[in-house]
Amino acid sequence: MQTTIPEGYKSLLSIYDTQKAISLLKRLFEDRLGALLNLYRVSAPLFVEENSGLNDNLNGYERPVSFDILRSEHRAQVVQSLAKWKRVALKRYGFYPGKGLYTDMNAIRRDEDELDNLHSVYVDQWDWEKVILSENRNLDYLKLTVMDIVTAICDTQDTMQAIYPQLRKLGKLERRVSFVTAQELEDRFPDKTPRERENEWLREHKTAFIIGIGKKLKSGKPHDGRAPDYDDWDLNGDIMVWNEVLGCAFELSSMGIRVDPASLDKQLTLAGCDERRGLPYHRALLNGELPLTIGGGIGQSRLSMLLLGKAHIGEVQASIWDEKTVKACEAAGVVLL
């Protein structure tokens, strides 16, 4: 993929107003998300110990940024997400069922191979996690949580458009969520790639949650990669909306009900990752020592792009871009931060 700026695109806000709007948007969304999901803000690490097993392996090929520490024998890794750390934190901080946490997560994805309108080496997201009961480990609970998150997004948009009337040109996001499984998409569009399937579905349904990310479909391939040791592949998914500015399906959140001992045991074997069983985090989970949870990440720059009508993620975050991206944006009058 490469950067493509839509013909005739012009930012609805000046750079100054964009900075003000991003700050307001983040405060509004955090408050609404916390209220709807019963979450409290906590502090989170930028890096974790390399051998702790707490870092997210993502799709398995991304190399985490690591470094040694002068006065310590440990090596540290910059987090790639906080999916595992949050679950440990919920136990350490004494959270009980129905209560959860959220935090700012900043990561460096140096192996990102799609530097384009939506992808950057720098990742910023709200990571959240909530303790649940065993009876909550089902699709109905997952769907209710998805609808609460979509409500928080749409409520934030309503407030932003009231304060910045020029944003009303973007129209309103669809509050109704279309739930569809990755297998249903493959069955309906067997000759298309996963991204093409998403575009076909979102073009019609506008807001959707695609269920079942990580496990192999009938084709023998997963819809998308997902590490085997945090989401239950049968109880997870992606929140996506239709982006009118870019004319494509637009992922806002990767989330799901987390693995319990049984599903972790199964998924580690399916993914060929049995060597992880000896890591401290995985041992604790397999022994039933961690709480059952639901959680995910919500892209801060992605949400800012969407609600402010931006064509490139570099308009709402500061990062480093390749020469082609810089030239394409300069030619279109797009200012990269």
Side-chain angles (χ1 to χ4, degrees):
M1 298 177 68
Q2 62 182 11
T3 296
T4 303
I5 306 301
E7 187 175 352
Y9 167 76
K10 183 174 175 58
S11 176
L12 297 173
L13 299 175
S14 67
I15 299 178
Y16 177 80
D17 282 339
T18 293
Q19 294 301 304
K20 289 177 59 181
I22 291 172
S23 177
L24 175 61
L25 182 157
K26 290 185 177 182
R27 293 198 304 272
L28 289 170
F29 179 72
E30 285 182 13
D31 289 346
R32 195 71 183 112
L33 181 73
L36 287 168
L37 296 188
N38 202 13
L39 308 176
Y40 296 98
R41 192 186 189 286
V42 301
S43 299
L46 175 61
F47 46 86
V48 294
E49 186 180 342
E50 188 173 63
N51 295 324
S52 67
L54 286 176
N55 209 353
D56 184 354
N57 296 92
L58 301 177
N59 294 307
Y61 64 84
E62 295 93 344
R63 298 170 299 157
V65 175
S66 61
F67 57 94
D68 61 341
I69 300 173
L70 179 61
R71 300 190 183 279
S72 171
E73 69 277 13
H74 301 298
R75 284 188 62 82
Q77 288 183 348
V78 176
V79 295
Q80 300 203 98
S81 92
L82 294 170
K84 299 170 190 172
W85 177 88
K86 290 177 298 182
R87 198 163 176 178
V88 174
L90 287 170
K91 179 182 179 180
R92 290 185 61 215
Y93 298 170
F95 281 71
Y96 54 86
K99 296 282 187 178
L101 57 83
Y102 75 89
T103 189
D104 288 311
M105 192 284 295
N106 299 296
I108 300 170
R109 303 272 175 86
R110 64 177 181 177
D111 287 331
E112 179 60 64
D113 60 357
E114 295 184 357
L115 293 182
D116 54 24
N117 297 66
L118 307 182
H119 297 89
S120 170
V121 173
Y122 171 68
V123 177
D124 56 344
Q125 65 183 31
W126 291 282
D127 251 319
W128 66 274
E129 199 84 10
K130 181 177 180 178
V131 181
I132 60 174
L133 298 170
S134 59
E135 54 261 39
N136 299 135
R137 298 192 78 257
N138 58 68
L139 282 175
D140 287 338
Y141 188 85
L142 175 64
K143 290 178 180 180
L144 288 172
T145 304
V146 168
M147 289 189 285
D148 280 340
I149 295 172
V150 171
T151 295
I153 291 170
C154 292
D155 288 352
T156 301
Q157 183 186 53
D158 288 346
T159 304
M160 292 300 296
Q161 291 189 357
I163 295 172
Y164 295 95
Q166 56 269 55
L167 298 179
R168 295 172 188 168
K169 294 179 181 179
L170 301 171
K172 296 290 187 181
L173 294 172
E174 175 58 65
R175 287 176 176 264
R176 291 173 298 178
V177 183
S178 167
F179 292 95
V180 62
T181 68
Q183 187 59 64
E184 287 171 336
L185 288 182
E186 183 180 75
D187 292 343
R188 183 162 178 173
F189 308 108
D191 297 327
K192 295 186 180 296
T193 67
R195 296 295 163 263
E196 290 169 341
R197 294 171 202 153
E198 292 170 355
N199 284 329
E200 291 290 339
W201 191 262
L202 270 297
R203 188 177 287 110
E204 178 181 354
H205 296 88
K206 305 305 180 186
T207 300
F209 185 69
I210 301 175
I211 302 168
I213 308 296
K215 64 180 181 180
K216 290 183 179 179
L217 305 177
K218 293 176 183 176
S219 64
K221 299 178 180 179
H223 181 83
D224 200 358
R226 193 70 61 90
D229 45 12
Y230 56 99
D231 283 352
D232 185 320
W233 291 340
D234 291 317
L235 296 170
N236 72 359
D238 292 336
I239 298 176
M240 307 194 76
V241 300
W242 182 254
N243 187 312
E244 294 289 351
V245 173
L246 297 177
C248 68
F250 191 78
E251 181 185 329
L252 288 174
S253 175
S254 166
M255 60 169 289
I257 291 173
R258 305 309 197 183
V259 288
D260 61 3
S263 55
L264 175 63
D265 179 63
K266 175 184 175 182
Q267 290 180 187
L268 285 176
T269 299
L270 287 174
C273 297
D274 284 320
E275 75 282 354
R276 297 184 194 177
R277 295 174 186 273
L279 296 173
Y281 171 83
H282 299 73
R283 283 203 312 268
L285 212 164
L286 289 167
N287 291 335
E289 298 169 5
L290 297 179
L292 299 176
T293 63
I294 182 174
I298 303 168
Q300 295 187 9
S301 291
R302 288 283 184 97
L303 187 62
S304 298
M305 272 187 75
L306 181 72
L307 299 190
L308 302 183
K310 301 295 188 178
H312 196 280
I313 197 167
E315 296 179 89
V316 295
Q317 65 159 236
S319 186
I320 295 176
W321 305 99
D322 59 284
E323 187 176 354
K324 286 184 178 180
T325 296
V326 173
K327 289 183 176 179
C329 289
E330 285 179 348
V334 171
V335 179
L336 298 174
L337 300 182

